[in-house]
Amino acid sequence: CSFNDEERACAALQRLGVWELIVFPAISFDSAFSKPAAIRATLSAAGLSPANALFCDDEPRHRAAAAAALPGLLTCAPSLLPPESALRRCGSADPGCSRLQKYRLLEARRRAEAAAVSQAGAGDAAAQRFLDSCEVVVRLRPLRGASDEDLDRLVALTQRTNRLNYTRRRRGWYWELLERDTDLLAPDRAGGGRGGGLESFTWKGYVSDRF
């Protein structure tokens, strides 16, 4: 976050070639702009806690205000940061910037949520507008000729369902049948085979959205 003219700051960062590395930017010259509030909003949007973040600022008063408002937040002056070459050696290698891409997707989702609220107001109407904008597509296919990976996933989902099942009616037999007789998932074969068992009501779902 920065006290700056947003357009000029973005242009300067682009010239330096670092703009594409920034997510959830908060730049404003508004007198009401608060760095602690901006940091809190950024951490919330990114799904992080103050203890997982470092706030670097050249003004001691900004660092003190942020630390007081967000217990656990680490702060430091720019002069205390190690050189870029040392930072690149920290942590595991990620040449494709996969974590950055995940935050980019999260940033796009947060913007869509904010747009829904601005258009429909808070509440169920905004939630419905956001879901509509996600372009969620669900495809269901019968589970035939299942692989070991499919079966493992099916069992994992069944176990999760049981954790949320408060009726006390468990589907333990599902797991037992899969372990004992995976041929029940095989397609029916004319003149032989026992297909048509679990496959008759077992489907595999594929869910996608624009994010």
Side-chain angles (χ1 to χ4, degrees):
C1 58
S2 175
F3 282 121
N4 259 302
D5 177 80
E6 184 174 7
E7 185 175 343
R8 294 178 62 186
C10 291
L13 292 169
Q14 287 170 351
R15 287 195 299 271
L16 292 171
V18 296
W19 176 250
E20 65 274 9
L21 302 177
I22 297 174
V23 290
F24 304 109
I27 306 170
S28 177
F29 249 155
D30 193 312
S31 59
F33 182 75
S34 164
K35 284 197 173 183
I39 295 170
R40 181 181 289 108
T42 298
L43 292 176
S44 176
L48 299 171
S49 68
N52 298 124
L54 170 65
F55 174 55
C56 179
D57 196 285
D58 57 352
E59 287 283 352
R61 60 191 178 92
H62 292 323
R63 298 198 299 270
L70 299 160
L73 179 71
L74 299 175
T75 66
C76 78
S79 59
L80 296 179
L81 288 176
E84 181 185 356
S85 57
L87 288 174
R88 289 184 178 278
R89 293 195 296 270
C90 296
S92 57
D94 185 16
C97 298
S98 59
R99 178 170 292 183
L100 175 62
Q101 298 310 315
K102 290 178 181 178
Y103 280 119
R104 284 265 183 236
L105 289 175
L106 186 56
E107 181 183 38
R109 176 176 174 174
R110 297 301 188 223
R111 286 179 177 171
E113 290 174 342
V117 170
S118 67
Q119 294 169 7
D124 293 342
Q128 185 61 54
R129 183 177 288 270
F130 169 67
L131 288 175
D132 291 342
S133 74
C134 289
E135 302 173 9
V136 177
V137 176
V138 179
R139 298 180 178 88
L140 294 176
R141 298 178 183 174
L143 190 62
R144 296 188 175 92
S147 66
D148 289 342
E149 182 180 349
D150 292 326
L151 297 180
D152 289 342
R153 179 62 175 161
L154 179 59
V155 169
L157 290 175
T158 302
Q159 291 174 329
R160 291 183 185 180
T161 301
N162 276 339
R163 291 194 192 103
L164 300 174
N165 181 359
Y166 300 107
T167 66
R168 297 189 179 182
R169 292 193 296 272
R170 307 298 189 207
R171 299 302 183 188
W173 56 268
Y174 214 55
W175 168 254
E176 294 169 5
L177 281 176
L178 289 175
E179 280 193 321
R180 187 177 67 246
D181 205 344
T182 55
D183 191 47
L184 284 170
L185 285 170
D188 195 10
R189 295 182 289 276
R194 291 175 297 163
L198 290 180
E199 70 164 9
S200 62
F201 57 86
T202 303
W203 295 68
K204 187 173 183 178
Y206 301 83
V207 183
S208 62
D209 59 48
R210 72 184 181 92
F211 298 111

